[in-house]
Amino acid sequence: MGGNGYTLVRNIRLLCPEKHKIENCDVLFLERTRNKHSCVVSIGQGLELPENQPIKLYAGGSRLFSAAFVDTACYIVNRNGRYGENCVSAAQAAHAGGFGTVAFMPSAGNLMDTPMAIEAALKEFRSQDVCFLPIASLGFYERGKQRLTDCAALVKAGAVAFSLPEKRRLSPEVALEGMCKAAECGVPVYCPASGAGFSEQGAVNAGRIAKLLRLPGIPQCAELLSVAESLLLARQSGCRIHIPVISLAESVEYIRRAKQSGVLVTCGTAPQYFSLTEDDLIFRGANAKLDPPLRQCADRAAIIEGLRDGTIDCIASDHRPCTREEKKDIATGAFGAVGLETAFAAGFTFLVLSGQLDLFTLVAKMTVAPASILGVQGSIGVGGRMDLVMIDEDKEMIYTNNTLHGRAFNTPYYATALRGGITDRFIDGK
């Protein structure tokens, strides 16, 4: 890895969502070394440059830049084989999509329930430019009994948040005790609104399309019960919770009312829930089999309104890579889609170009808002990492296995043209 040299990024237009403005500036930073992250030295115009020091120059050409995106919900399960995702391919996908920081969720292949597991995951990702943050399990099952993890030890090992199990959910009593412990540690608890645990045989949203395709449906109450229980437990415990992905109009309303009453809750959604509906299953097949499932037009409109009025705090990639074998058909295929590479383009295409949100708000929901939830850097500032990406509003990309950078290709936007892309990037200054 290179030495601790300087690089000057000259003449860029920096999008600042907090100020709701674009500033013309230069950025001087120290490059990453083997033992240190990159570091922004100064930002502005007419910067004083260090004397007697070699400086690399990058000509910005008055192009539009933003802080790199922050993802609150990504699932990485190491798999062998040509199409199996691993830490390297996940980092490549994140890099291509403009993400500088990615929080990864516990999964069936890696429960993240011990300090050793957290430390091993951090060691595995340390060689990547993208900063991966582990979310630990709040509890687990051992010989049929529910157990809570050692919250303090997991935070000390590097966990930035805890997560309730998605399928075999903890009892309310155990979950409440775990939330109280998480509150003492000062970190949030993720409360996934999963429908798969409620209806194990369900494949798609219970409704007209499920009947048309003769598929078992997942009832809407699966998500609503999960959201309602999480909000009540948060109120009782005083714990800060985050619901990573919601998909229903009723969920938006539940969370809106909870925020108004003082519950410490934040929530996110994924691009597919403001851009697609259950009707897209007919044309997109198993690649559109998601958890939560795609909903109806009224739900999509409510999700967009939730983004507009601030009820929904952030946009997550909900990156869930699957192999081709796992996505054979809708009835038996796995849930999930890759999302790191398509998240911004989908947001720009379906929200900004359609006039639903402005570009400042979209970028805020992918940078400062998720960063605030995770307690990390979400903007470019002196002393912080150099995570900067260039936004090309005119770039159009058709996403296929030839254009996606990860090993998995299970996206509902497969062979779909999306506008807006990331064409250049500095991730940790590299």
Side-chain angles (χ1 to χ4, degrees), residues 204-205 207-215 278-279 281-282:
V204 299
N205 180 55
R208 179 176 59 87
I209 297 301
K211 293 179 181 179
L212 179 66
L213 298 178
R214 297 182 180 180
L215 294 170
E278 61 180 358
D279 294 343
L281 284 160
I282 297 174

Side-chain angles (χ1 to χ4, degrees), residues 290-370:
L290 309 168
D291 183 23
L294 293 175
R295 306 295 189 177
Q296 299 177 350
C297 290
D299 297 300
R300 180 179 61 182
I303 292 293
I304 294 173
E305 182 58 31
L307 288 166
R308 288 167 60 92
D309 68 16
T311 301
I312 300 176
D313 300 89
C314 65
I315 296 172
S317 75
D318 200 28
H319 183 77
R320 301 186 191 220
C322 300
T323 63
R324 288 182 175 180
E325 292 73 17
E326 291 172 317
K327 279 289 189 181
K328 282 186 176 180
D329 58 71
I330 300 179
T332 61
F335 292 96
V338 295
L340 285 168
E341 295 187 59
T342 58
F344 175 76
F348 187 82
T349 300
F350 293 101
L351 294 177
V352 176
L353 292 182
S354 65
Q356 303 292 344
L357 295 181
D358 58 43
L359 183 57
F360 294 102
T361 305
L362 173 63
V363 171
K365 290 187 182 295
M366 296 184 69
T367 54
V368 292

Side-chain angles (χ1 to χ4, degrees), residues 34-212:
R34 186 176 299 276
N35 300 316
K36 282 187 177 182
H37 290 294
S38 60
C39 179
V40 176
V41 176
S42 55
I43 304 173
Q45 293 180 321
L47 300 179
E48 291 188 14
L49 303 180
E51 297 181 0
N52 303 320
Q53 293 284 346
I55 300 175
K56 297 177 183 176
L57 178 65
Y58 175 90
S62 296
R63 289 170 291 185
L64 183 64
F65 281 77
S66 163
F69 308 134
V70 178
D71 188 23
T72 54
C74 171
Y75 298 78
I76 303 171
V77 181
N78 284 337
R79 293 187 175 96
N80 296 321
R82 181 179 177 185
Y83 300 107
E85 189 82 278
N86 56 32
C87 68
V88 175
S89 58
Q92 290 172 343
H95 200 277
F99 285 90
T101 303
V102 175
F104 60 97
M105 303 280 285
S107 58
N110 190 359
L111 295 178
M112 307 294 290
D113 55 0
T114 65
M116 187 178 296
I118 297 290
E119 291 165 0
L122 288 172
K123 183 178 180 181
E124 184 178 13
F125 283 112
R126 196 166 290 142
S127 61
Q128 306 301 322
D129 300 326
V130 177
C131 177
F132 285 91
L133 304 174
I135 297 172
S137 296
L138 185 64
F140 59 95
Y141 281 80
E142 184 179 64
R143 298 177 181 176
K145 293 184 178 180
Q146 300 178 15
R147 309 278 188 188
L148 289 175
T149 52
D150 187 339
C151 295
L154 290 168
V155 171
K156 186 177 180 181
V160 297
F162 297 100
S163 178
L164 294 173
E166 281 196 283
K167 294 188 177 180
R168 292 186 69 187
R169 294 182 67 85
L170 301 176
S171 69
E173 182 181 8
V174 174
L176 178 61
E177 182 184 354
M179 284 186 177
C180 290
K181 290 186 176 182
E184 292 174 1
C185 294
V187 295
V189 172
Y190 275 46
C191 301
S194 172
F198 181 91
S199 177
E200 293 186 0
Q201 302 302 317
V204 299
N205 180 55
R208 179 176 59 87
I209 297 301
K211 293 179 181 179
L212 179 66

